[in-house]
Amino acid sequence: MPSRARYAHGGWLGAALGLFLATPLALAEVREASGEWRRMVPLPEARTEVSVATDGERIFLAGGFLLAGERDATAPRTLFVYDPGDDRWEALTELPRGVNHAGFEYHDGRLYVIAGFDEASFTPTDAFHIYDIDTDKWRQGPVVPTPRGALATAVLDGRIHAIGGTTHGREDVGVHEVYDPQSDLWSQLAAMPTPRNHHRAAAIDGRIVVLAGRDDSTFRLTTNEIYHPDDDRWEEGAPVPTGRSGVAATALDDWVYLFGGETFTPERRTFDEAERYHLEEDRWERLPAMPTARHGLDAAAVEGAIYVIAGGPEAGFAFSDLNERLIPDD
Protein backbone atom coordinates (compact mmCIF):
# COMPACT_ATOMS: atom_id res chain seq x y z
CA MET A 1 0.00 0.00 0.00
CA PRO A 2 1.43 3.46 -0.83
CA SER A 3 2.67 5.42 2.16
CA ARG A 4 0.42 8.14 3.56
CA ALA A 5 1.21 11.42 5.28
CA ARG A 6 0.56 11.30 9.02
CA TYR A 7 -0.72 14.40 10.76
CA ALA A 8 0.41 15.11 14.30
CA HIS A 9 -2.73 17.03 15.28
CA GLY A 10 -2.15 19.67 12.60
CA GLY A 11 1.63 20.02 13.08
CA TRP A 12 3.70 21.69 10.37
CA LEU A 13 5.71 18.55 9.67
CA GLY A 14 2.66 16.44 8.88
CA ALA A 15 1.17 19.18 6.70
CA ALA A 16 4.42 19.66 4.80
CA LEU A 17 4.78 15.92 4.23
CA GLY A 18 1.18 15.78 3.03
CA LEU A 19 1.96 18.41 0.39
CA PHE A 20 5.08 16.53 -0.62
CA LEU A 21 3.15 13.29 -1.16
CA ALA A 22 0.20 14.89 -2.96
CA THR A 23 1.82 14.78 -6.40
CA PRO A 24 2.68 11.04 -6.54
CA LEU A 25 -0.69 10.09 -5.06
CA ALA A 26 -2.51 12.28 -7.58
CA LEU A 27 -0.78 10.44 -10.44
CA ALA A 28 -1.99 7.02 -9.26
CA GLU A 29 -3.96 5.00 -11.78
CA VAL A 30 -7.75 5.11 -11.49
CA ARG A 31 -9.10 1.79 -12.69
CA GLU A 32 -12.47 1.23 -14.32
CA ALA A 33 -15.14 -0.74 -12.44
CA SER A 34 -18.55 -1.95 -13.55
CA GLY A 35 -22.04 -1.83 -12.11
CA GLU A 36 -25.65 -1.34 -13.10
CA TRP A 37 -27.87 1.65 -12.40
CA ARG A 38 -31.66 1.51 -12.16
CA ARG A 39 -34.21 4.17 -11.33
CA MET A 40 -36.41 3.24 -8.36
CA VAL A 41 -39.63 4.69 -6.94
CA PRO A 42 -39.02 8.40 -6.33
CA LEU A 43 -39.01 10.21 -3.01
CA PRO A 44 -42.51 11.61 -2.29
CA GLU A 45 -41.12 15.20 -2.32
CA ALA A 46 -38.49 16.86 -4.47
CA ARG A 47 -35.73 17.99 -2.07
CA THR A 48 -32.10 19.02 -1.94
CA GLU A 49 -29.43 19.14 0.79
CA VAL A 50 -30.95 16.06 2.40
CA SER A 51 -29.52 13.58 4.89
CA VAL A 52 -30.05 9.81 4.90
CA ALA A 53 -29.28 6.95 7.27
CA THR A 54 -29.90 3.20 7.28
CA ASP A 55 -30.44 0.40 9.77
CA GLY A 56 -29.22 -2.11 7.18
CA GLU A 57 -32.75 -2.92 6.02
CA ARG A 58 -34.48 0.43 5.55
CA ILE A 59 -33.35 3.90 4.50
CA PHE A 60 -34.41 7.01 6.40
CA LEU A 61 -34.38 10.51 4.87
CA ALA A 62 -34.61 13.77 6.79
CA GLY A 63 -34.28 17.51 6.33
CA GLY A 64 -33.14 19.56 3.37
CA PHE A 65 -34.91 22.18 1.32
CA LEU A 66 -38.30 21.91 -0.34
CA LEU A 67 -39.32 24.33 -3.09
CA ALA A 68 -42.02 26.81 -2.02
CA GLY A 69 -43.47 28.81 -4.89
CA GLU A 70 -41.16 29.75 -7.74
CA ARG A 71 -38.16 31.05 -5.78
CA ASP A 72 -38.44 30.32 -2.07
CA ALA A 73 -37.61 27.19 -0.12
CA THR A 74 -38.86 25.74 3.15
CA ALA A 75 -37.38 23.20 5.54
CA PRO A 76 -39.73 20.20 5.39
CA ARG A 77 -40.21 18.29 8.62
CA THR A 78 -41.52 14.97 7.32
CA LEU A 79 -39.04 12.16 7.92
CA PHE A 80 -39.49 9.44 5.30
CA VAL A 81 -38.57 5.77 5.40
CA TYR A 82 -37.88 3.67 2.30
CA ASP A 83 -38.17 -0.12 2.07
CA PRO A 84 -35.89 -1.32 -0.75
CA GLY A 85 -37.50 -4.77 -0.75
CA ASP A 86 -40.93 -3.33 -1.55
CA ASP A 87 -39.54 -0.25 -3.35
CA ARG A 88 -41.88 1.89 -1.27
CA TRP A 89 -41.70 5.17 0.66
CA GLU A 90 -43.82 6.24 3.61
CA ALA A 91 -43.84 9.05 6.16
CA LEU A 92 -42.45 7.89 9.50
CA THR A 93 -42.56 10.96 11.76
CA GLU A 94 -42.11 14.74 11.85
CA LEU A 95 -38.88 16.45 12.85
CA PRO A 96 -39.17 18.66 15.94
CA ARG A 97 -37.67 21.49 13.90
CA GLY A 98 -36.73 22.02 10.26
CA VAL A 99 -33.08 21.65 9.32
CA ASN A 100 -30.89 21.46 6.22
CA HIS A 101 -27.30 20.36 5.63
CA ALA A 102 -27.53 18.30 8.85
CA GLY A 103 -25.77 15.21 10.08
CA PHE A 104 -28.07 12.19 10.28
CA GLU A 105 -27.20 8.74 11.62
CA TYR A 106 -28.82 5.50 12.80
CA HIS A 107 -27.56 3.57 15.80
CA ASP A 108 -29.16 0.89 17.96
CA GLY A 109 -32.81 1.63 17.22
CA ARG A 110 -32.48 5.41 17.22
CA LEU A 111 -32.08 8.16 14.65
CA TYR A 112 -29.83 11.12 15.41
CA VAL A 113 -30.22 14.54 13.75
CA ILE A 114 -26.99 16.42 14.33
CA ALA A 115 -26.59 20.21 13.98
CA GLY A 116 -27.09 21.62 10.44
CA PHE A 117 -28.54 24.96 9.39
CA ASP A 118 -31.71 26.05 11.18
CA GLU A 119 -35.00 25.74 9.26
CA ALA A 120 -34.57 27.17 5.72
CA SER A 121 -31.74 29.52 6.72
CA PHE A 122 -27.97 29.22 6.66
CA THR A 123 -27.70 29.86 10.40
CA PRO A 124 -25.68 27.10 12.11
CA THR A 125 -27.46 25.29 14.92
CA ASP A 126 -26.24 23.20 17.84
CA ALA A 127 -29.51 21.24 18.02
CA PHE A 128 -29.28 17.50 18.60
CA HIS A 129 -32.51 15.52 18.26
CA ILE A 130 -32.84 11.80 18.98
CA TYR A 131 -35.75 9.68 17.74
CA ASP A 132 -36.58 6.29 19.23
CA ILE A 133 -38.13 4.31 16.39
CA ASP A 134 -39.91 1.72 18.55
CA THR A 135 -41.56 4.22 20.89
CA ASP A 136 -42.11 6.87 18.21
CA LYS A 137 -40.74 9.56 20.52
CA TRP A 138 -38.24 12.38 20.12
CA ARG A 139 -36.00 13.78 22.80
CA GLN A 140 -33.54 16.64 22.75
CA GLY A 141 -30.00 15.42 23.34
CA PRO A 142 -27.09 17.47 24.68
CA VAL A 143 -26.30 20.32 22.32
CA VAL A 144 -23.53 19.87 19.78
CA PRO A 145 -20.54 21.75 21.25
CA THR A 146 -19.78 23.56 17.96
CA PRO A 147 -22.85 24.80 16.03
CA ARG A 148 -22.38 24.12 12.31
CA GLY A 149 -23.94 23.05 9.07
CA ALA A 150 -22.70 21.18 6.00
CA LEU A 151 -20.74 18.89 8.32
CA ALA A 152 -19.89 15.20 7.90
CA THR A 153 -20.97 12.50 10.36
CA ALA A 154 -20.33 8.81 10.86
CA VAL A 155 -20.96 6.08 13.44
CA LEU A 156 -17.90 4.14 14.57
CA ASP A 157 -17.77 1.68 17.48
CA GLY A 158 -21.14 2.86 18.76
CA ARG A 159 -20.20 6.54 18.90
CA ILE A 160 -21.35 9.34 16.59
CA HIS A 161 -18.65 11.55 15.08
CA ALA A 162 -19.35 15.09 13.83
CA ILE A 163 -16.54 16.43 11.64
CA GLY A 164 -15.90 19.81 10.01
CA GLY A 165 -18.55 22.09 8.54
CA THR A 166 -19.36 25.80 8.54
CA THR A 167 -20.01 27.66 11.77
CA HIS A 168 -20.98 31.26 12.62
CA GLY A 169 -19.36 33.91 10.45
CA ARG A 170 -19.22 31.44 7.55
CA GLU A 171 -16.03 30.00 9.01
CA ASP A 172 -14.99 26.53 7.88
CA VAL A 173 -13.75 24.35 10.71
CA GLY A 174 -11.99 21.03 11.11
CA VAL A 175 -13.43 20.51 14.58
CA HIS A 176 -14.09 16.86 15.44
CA GLU A 177 -16.53 16.04 18.21
CA VAL A 178 -17.94 12.67 19.24
CA TYR A 179 -21.14 11.69 21.07
CA ASP A 180 -21.29 8.63 23.29
CA PRO A 181 -24.87 7.32 23.70
CA GLN A 182 -23.84 5.42 26.84
CA SER A 183 -22.78 8.53 28.72
CA ASP A 184 -25.03 10.95 26.78
CA LEU A 185 -22.04 13.29 26.45
CA TRP A 186 -20.01 14.99 23.73
CA SER A 187 -16.21 15.12 23.79
CA GLN A 188 -13.44 16.56 21.64
CA LEU A 189 -11.10 14.57 19.38
CA ALA A 190 -8.20 15.46 17.10
CA ALA A 191 -9.35 18.04 14.55
CA MET A 192 -9.57 17.15 10.87
CA PRO A 193 -6.45 18.66 9.23
CA THR A 194 -8.36 20.39 6.40
CA PRO A 195 -11.22 22.65 7.52
CA ARG A 196 -14.03 22.25 4.97
CA ASN A 197 -17.76 21.97 4.33
CA HIS A 198 -20.05 20.05 1.97
CA HIS A 199 -17.84 16.96 2.42
CA ARG A 200 -18.90 13.45 3.46
CA ALA A 201 -17.66 10.75 5.80
CA ALA A 202 -17.99 6.97 5.97
CA ALA A 203 -16.88 4.48 8.61
CA ILE A 204 -15.05 1.43 7.30
CA ASP A 205 -12.62 -1.13 8.75
CA GLY A 206 -12.43 0.66 12.10
CA ARG A 207 -11.60 4.05 10.61
CA ILE A 208 -13.44 7.08 9.20
CA VAL A 209 -12.76 8.26 5.65
CA VAL A 210 -13.63 11.92 4.94
CA LEU A 211 -13.81 12.95 1.29
CA ALA A 212 -14.07 15.99 -1.00
CA GLY A 213 -15.88 19.23 -0.09
CA ARG A 214 -15.07 22.92 -0.39
CA ASP A 215 -13.29 25.73 1.44
CA ASP A 216 -12.49 29.40 0.88
CA SER A 217 -10.24 28.64 -2.08
CA THR A 218 -12.10 26.00 -4.08
CA PHE A 219 -15.39 24.17 -4.59
CA ARG A 220 -13.47 21.13 -5.80
CA LEU A 221 -11.38 19.71 -2.99
CA THR A 222 -9.79 16.32 -3.71
CA THR A 223 -8.92 15.90 -0.04
CA ASN A 224 -9.07 12.39 1.45
CA GLU A 225 -8.34 12.30 5.19
CA ILE A 226 -8.61 9.18 7.33
CA TYR A 227 -9.21 9.13 11.08
CA HIS A 228 -7.71 6.41 13.31
CA PRO A 229 -9.58 6.18 16.63
CA ASP A 230 -7.03 3.96 18.38
CA ASP A 231 -4.47 6.74 18.64
CA ASP A 232 -6.67 9.76 17.79
CA ARG A 233 -4.81 10.75 14.63
CA TRP A 234 -5.40 11.57 10.99
CA GLU A 235 -3.54 10.55 7.85
CA GLU A 236 -3.82 11.46 4.19
CA GLY A 237 -5.15 8.98 1.64
CA ALA A 238 -5.06 8.91 -2.15
CA PRO A 239 -6.85 12.05 -3.40
CA VAL A 240 -10.35 11.96 -4.85
CA PRO A 241 -10.04 11.59 -8.65
CA THR A 242 -12.74 14.20 -9.34
CA GLY A 243 -12.77 17.10 -6.90
CA ARG A 244 -16.24 18.36 -6.03
CA SER A 245 -18.51 19.35 -3.14
CA GLY A 246 -22.10 18.69 -2.12
CA VAL A 247 -21.42 14.98 -2.54
CA ALA A 248 -22.88 11.74 -1.18
CA ALA A 249 -20.84 8.90 0.31
CA THR A 250 -21.47 5.48 1.80
CA ALA A 251 -19.54 2.31 2.59
CA LEU A 252 -20.24 -1.11 1.10
CA ASP A 253 -18.04 -4.16 1.65
CA ASP A 254 -14.40 -3.03 1.28
CA TRP A 255 -15.14 0.26 -0.50
CA VAL A 256 -16.22 3.82 0.21
CA TYR A 257 -18.43 5.13 -2.62
CA LEU A 258 -18.60 8.80 -3.62
CA PHE A 259 -21.36 10.27 -5.81
CA GLY A 260 -22.34 13.51 -7.52
CA GLY A 261 -21.49 17.03 -6.41
CA GLU A 262 -21.31 20.56 -7.75
CA THR A 263 -18.96 23.45 -8.46
CA PHE A 264 -19.36 27.10 -9.37
CA THR A 265 -15.86 27.75 -10.73
CA PRO A 266 -14.51 27.77 -13.38
CA GLU A 267 -18.01 26.83 -14.50
CA ARG A 268 -21.34 26.28 -12.79
CA ARG A 269 -22.18 22.58 -13.05
CA THR A 270 -23.18 19.36 -11.31
CA PHE A 271 -21.38 16.03 -11.48
CA ASP A 272 -22.52 12.55 -12.44
CA GLU A 273 -19.28 10.93 -11.31
CA ALA A 274 -19.44 7.72 -9.27
CA GLU A 275 -16.11 6.67 -7.77
CA ARG A 276 -15.03 4.28 -5.04
CA TYR A 277 -12.06 4.11 -2.69
CA HIS A 278 -10.40 0.98 -1.28
CA LEU A 279 -8.97 1.90 2.10
CA GLU A 280 -6.59 -1.02 2.57
CA GLU A 281 -5.12 -0.67 -0.93
CA ASP A 282 -5.31 3.15 -0.91
CA ARG A 283 -6.64 3.34 -4.46
CA TRP A 284 -9.63 4.56 -6.47
CA GLU A 285 -11.86 3.06 -9.14
CA ARG A 286 -14.28 4.80 -11.49
CA LEU A 287 -17.81 3.39 -11.82
CA PRO A 288 -20.45 3.97 -14.50
CA ALA A 289 -21.76 7.51 -14.24
CA MET A 290 -24.94 8.25 -12.33
CA PRO A 291 -28.01 8.47 -14.59
CA THR A 292 -28.62 12.01 -13.30
CA ALA A 293 -25.93 14.50 -12.29
CA ARG A 294 -26.81 16.28 -9.03
CA HIS A 295 -25.61 17.71 -5.73
CA GLY A 296 -27.14 17.98 -2.26
CA LEU A 297 -27.99 14.28 -2.47
CA ASP A 298 -27.20 11.46 -0.06
CA ALA A 299 -26.67 7.71 -0.30
CA ALA A 300 -27.07 4.52 1.71
CA ALA A 301 -26.20 0.86 1.11
CA VAL A 302 -28.63 -2.00 1.76
CA GLU A 303 -28.18 -5.66 0.81
CA GLY A 304 -25.40 -5.12 -1.72
CA ALA A 305 -27.06 -2.15 -3.45
CA ILE A 306 -26.55 1.60 -3.06
CA TYR A 307 -29.44 4.05 -3.25
CA VAL A 308 -28.58 7.63 -4.24
CA ILE A 309 -31.46 9.92 -3.34
CA ALA A 310 -32.73 13.46 -4.01
CA GLY A 311 -30.49 16.46 -4.73
CA GLY A 312 -30.40 19.25 -7.31
CA PRO A 313 -29.70 18.55 -11.00
CA GLU A 314 -28.37 22.12 -11.34
CA ALA A 315 -25.79 23.86 -9.18
CA GLY A 316 -27.31 25.99 -6.42
CA PHE A 317 -30.99 25.83 -5.51
CA ALA A 318 -32.43 22.92 -7.50
CA PHE A 319 -34.52 19.96 -6.40
CA SER A 320 -35.36 16.39 -7.36
CA ASP A 321 -37.24 13.34 -6.10
CA LEU A 322 -34.80 10.92 -7.73
CA ASN A 323 -33.96 7.54 -6.25
CA GLU A 324 -31.32 5.80 -8.34
CA ARG A 325 -29.89 2.41 -7.39
CA LEU A 326 -26.40 1.14 -8.17
CA ILE A 327 -25.51 -2.52 -7.91
CA PRO A 328 -21.72 -2.59 -8.23
CA ASP A 329 -19.88 -5.62 -9.52
CA ASP A 330 -17.22 -7.13 -7.29
Side-chain angles (χ1 to χ4, degrees), residues 284-321:
W284 286 89
E285 291 185 347
R286 183 175 293 108
L287 293 147
M290 297 164 52
T292 311
R294 50 204 156 104
H295 73 99
L297 67 174
D298 207 353
V302 175
E303 297 291 334
I306 301 171
Y307 298 81
V308 185
I309 304 166
E314 301 172 0
F317 258 5
F319 309 81
S320 81
D321 59 4

Side-chain angles (χ1 to χ4, degrees), residues 56-116:
E57 297 179 354
R58 300 166 293 176
I59 296 172
F60 306 91
L61 181 143
F65 290 114
L66 178 69
L67 185 63
E70 294 184 1
R71 297 174 179 265
D72 295 328
T74 61
R77 297 194 181 186
T78 301
L79 192 158
F80 289 106
V81 59
Y82 173 69
D83 184 334
D86 293 337
D87 193 21
R88 179 173 57 90
W89 291 92
E90 64 179 358
L92 177 64
T93 185
E94 295 288 309
L95 294 175
R97 187 169 179 83
V99 69
N100 67 85
H101 293 81
F104 186 47
E105 298 293 341
Y106 169 89
H107 174 64
D108 195 24
R110 295 175 176 84
L111 294 168
Y112 297 83
V113 182
I114 308 136

Side-chain angles (χ1 to χ4, degrees), residues 29-46:
E29 177 187 3
V30 179
R31 304 174 189 175
E32 298 295 325
S34 57
E36 181 180 354
W37 286 96
R38 178 181 175 186
R39 187 165 291 182
M40 310 303 287
V41 166
L43 179 69
E45 298 175 342

Side-chain angles (χ1 to χ4, degrees), residues 215-235:
D215 60 16
D216 289 339
S217 63
T218 181
F219 289 93
R220 300 191 59 175
L221 286 173
T222 60
T223 309
N224 173 7
E225 291 168 334
I226 302 157
Y227 178 70
H228 293 251
D230 291 344
D231 47 6
D232 191 27
R233 67 175 174 88
W234 291 85
E235 67 176 348

Side-chain angles (χ1 to χ4, degrees), residues 48-190:
T48 192
E49 308 301 352
V50 298
S51 306
V52 307
T54 180
D55 62 0
E57 297 179 354
R58 300 166 293 176
I59 296 172
F60 306 91
L61 181 143
F65 290 114
L66 178 69
L67 185 63
E70 294 184 1
R71 297 174 179 265
D72 295 328
T74 61
R77 297 194 181 186
T78 301
L79 192 158
F80 289 106
V81 59
Y82 173 69
D83 184 334
D86 293 337
D87 193 21
R88 179 173 57 90
W89 291 92
E90 64 179 358
L92 177 64
T93 185
E94 295 288 309
L95 294 175
R97 187 169 179 83
V99 69
N100 67 85
H101 293 81
F104 186 47
E105 298 293 341
Y106 169 89
H107 174 64
D108 195 24
R110 295 175 176 84
L111 294 168
Y112 297 83
V113 182
I114 308 136
F117 296 125
D118 191 40
E119 293 286 358
S121 73
F122 287 94
T123 302
T125 177
D126 60 6
F128 183 43
H129 297 291
I130 303 170
Y131 177 68
D132 188 303
I133 298 172
D134 288 342
T135 63
D136 187 30
K137 290 183 179 179
W138 288 94
R139 78 171 179 90
Q140 187 168 324
V143 297
V144 180
T146 306
R148 51 213 153 108
L151 68 163
T153 58
V155 177
L156 182 62
D157 297 331
R159 303 199 299 169
I160 298 168
H161 295 251
I163 305 168
T166 299
T167 188
H168 295 290
R170 309 295 286 177
E171 178 188 1
D172 293 332
V173 294
V175 66
H176 178 189
E177 295 158 345
V178 65
Y179 170 75
D180 187 342
Q182 296 300 315
S183 64
D184 197 30
L185 294 172
W186 287 93
S187 58
Q188 196 89 14
L189 296 173

Side-chain angles (χ1 to χ4, degrees), residues 251-296:
L252 176 63
D253 297 329
D254 296 325
W255 299 88
V256 176
Y257 289 76
L258 187 67
F259 302 99
E262 70 177 342
T263 187
F264 295 88
T265 58
E267 59 180 333
R268 183 187 180 101
R269 59 165 291 201
T270 53
F271 292 83
D272 61 6
E273 273 77 2
E275 297 163 340
R276 66 182 184 181
Y277 174 67
H278 197 287
L279 175 60
E280 292 302 325
E281 299 177 7
D282 193 32
R283 66 178 178 87
W284 286 89
E285 291 185 347
R286 183 175 293 108
L287 293 147
M290 297 164 52
T292 311
R294 50 204 156 104
H295 73 99

